[in-house]
Amino acid sequence: ANSAVGYADVTLSYKNPKSQFGVTIGNFESLNGFEQISSSRYISFIERAQFNEAFNNTRRLGVAVNYTSKDGLFKFDVGAFNDTINANTDNDDLILAGRAVYAPQAMGGQLHFGANFQHRKFQTNVLSNQYRARPFTQNAGFRFVDTGNVAARGDDIYGLEFIGIFGPLHLSAEGQYTKVDAIRVPDVLPGRDATTGVRTNGDPSFFGFYAEAGYWLTGETRDYKNGTLDRTKVLNPFDKGGWGAFQINARYDYLDLTDSTGATLPTQVTSPNFVNGGTQPGYLASLIWQPIDYVR
């Protein structure tokens, strides 16, 4: 790896078996949504929804307290986070986050209703953020949608989650709305605070969502555990004489990184009045072959 080491989940967790509460510290996802928290081993496509990249959802150093009801129907997590594990030690950015899940068994299947929230404060000597996303492949080195650096103190991200699993069929949808706390054109920054971003005349907001349906042709069902997706168990694995499991999926994914932030219409499309990061819709389909439980 050319001596460049990357870290994923680096955590220490504790839970008293007699209590519904637990705590986790380390480098992990900042409670930022169903698909982002689920392992990439279990999601329906090679890439996650594009709003996760655009809104910089990723692992951070932090601490979270979680609660799970005795019947397993309710799950709540709250946490505080700093920057990623390989960031500079003087970074003073902050994320306060929360996620709530209600997961009943109803209508002959497993349902999941979730909501998540992140209040983010950016590093004071780099008060800006860039919202952008690749065209549904991390191998691409370019982005069609990109706001450029927006001068901002932070932002708030609101998310909703849904999944329904009914035997071999699953339906899922998720969306996030981001409201930016922008640094406006006449604002004077205190002390050593600094920004390299473009200032606006208002607080821009951005939005992304996806809706998905999938079906196991060989009769399996998606596994669900503790508020996230888990490993599907193959009914007729390849090493036992079967052909394994086959699943088809279809998704519509949409991202909007444009917003009018200044004068009322009609208005000039200039940086202080308009953030023109572009919009990007995606139509995706996938075929998954899972010969055994641990190979996809």
Side-chain angles (χ1 to χ4, degrees), residues 139-174:
N139 293 326
F142 56 89
R143 284 90 169 171
F144 294 129
V145 286
D146 187 346
T147 64
N149 279 330
V150 178
R153 298 175 180 86
D155 58 22
D156 291 320
I157 301 179
Y158 307 83
L160 292 175
E161 316 162 10
F162 168 77
I163 187 167
I165 303 172
F166 309 98
L169 172 70
H170 83 271
L171 305 170
S172 63
E174 187 176 2

Side-chain angles (χ1 to χ4, degrees), residues 1-2 10 23 53 109 111 167 169 200 232 242 275 277 280:
N2 292 326
V10 183
V23 62
E53 181 184 8
L111 300 179
L169 172 70
T200 62
T232 296
V275 177
Q280 185 164 266

Side-chain angles (χ1 to χ4, degrees), residues 3-11 26-29 58-61 84-87:
S3 300
V5 179
Y7 298 91
D9 290 324
V10 183
T11 62
N27 190 66
F28 57 103
E29 299 285 355
T58 188
R59 294 174 175 88
R60 313 273 183 166
L61 278 173
T84 58
I85 196 170
N86 57 348

Side-chain angles (χ1 to χ4, degrees), residues 123-150:
Q123 188 177 336
T124 52
N125 63 351
V126 191
L127 288 173
S128 65
N129 198 29
Q130 188 170 9
Y131 302 88
R132 58 181 183 169
R134 296 176 177 88
F136 301 98
T137 170
Q138 293 296 317
N139 293 326
F142 56 89
R143 284 90 169 171
F144 294 129
V145 286
D146 187 346
T147 64
N149 279 330
V150 178

Side-chain angles (χ1 to χ4, degrees), residues 143-220:
R143 284 90 169 171
F144 294 129
V145 286
D146 187 346
T147 64
N149 279 330
V150 178
R153 298 175 180 86
D155 58 22
D156 291 320
I157 301 179
Y158 307 83
L160 292 175
E161 316 162 10
F162 168 77
I163 187 167
I165 303 172
F166 309 98
L169 172 70
H170 83 271
L171 305 170
S172 63
E174 187 176 2
Q176 285 192 344
Y177 169 84
T178 297
K179 185 69 173 180
V180 180
D181 181 13
I183 299 173
R184 306 194 181 194
V185 175
D187 289 354
V188 177
L189 297 178
R192 296 182 179 181
D193 291 3
T195 180
T196 58
V198 175
R199 298 185 181 217
T200 62
N201 286 327
D203 295 330
S205 59
F206 310 120
F207 175 69
F209 80 97
Y210 70 86
E212 170 187 311
Y215 191 82
W216 287 99
L217 301 173
T218 44
E220 284 77 9

